[in-house]
Amino acid sequence: MNKDELSKLVGEKLDKSSAEVKESLEIIFKTIKEQLTKGEAVKIVGFGKFNVKKRKARMGRDPNTGEKLFLPETDTPSFSPSKNLTKSVKGKKK
């Protein structure tokens, strides 16, 4: 499912236009991205937690040449689902 399909589905459930819902989704995604950029976690109870993890510096390889490369430490976004979301996906509803 992509953003347009999500907007349409949520719009139908809320009796709102797809465009209105899409605008709201854009604001939500932008806000999450801003908080992660600041290093802040975003926890949505019953859904999950968006946070930033440090990826350690390491040696890697250029896939084209096979040459060894040093990959510096970097921040990367991650998502941890809540127990409720995990149970729902596995079919074990509360």
Side-chain angles (χ1 to χ4, degrees), residues 20-90:
E20 288 176 305
V21 174
K22 190 172 183 181
E23 183 178 344
S24 296
L25 286 175
E26 289 291 342
I27 292 169
I28 292 167
F29 296 151
K30 181 179 179 186
T31 303
I32 291 171
K33 184 172 28 173
E34 287 170 353
Q35 294 307 304
L36 292 176
T37 301
K38 292 178 188 176
E40 298 289 327
V42 178
K43 185 175 182 180
I44 303 169
V45 176
F47 185 72
K49 181 178 176 182
F50 297 90
N51 56 4
V52 177
K53 290 187 177 181
K54 290 269 186 210
R55 181 179 271 176
K56 293 180 182 178
R58 64 196 188 283
M59 292 301 294
R61 290 189 184 269
D62 182 326
N64 294 325
T65 65
E67 179 183 351
K68 287 186 178 182
L69 300 171
F70 175 75
L71 302 172
E73 180 178 86
T74 185
D75 292 334
T76 186
S78 70
F79 176 75
S80 302
S82 71
K83 289 180 182 179
N84 290 341
L85 178 60
T86 301
K87 285 180 183 180
S88 293
V89 170
K90 289 183 176 181

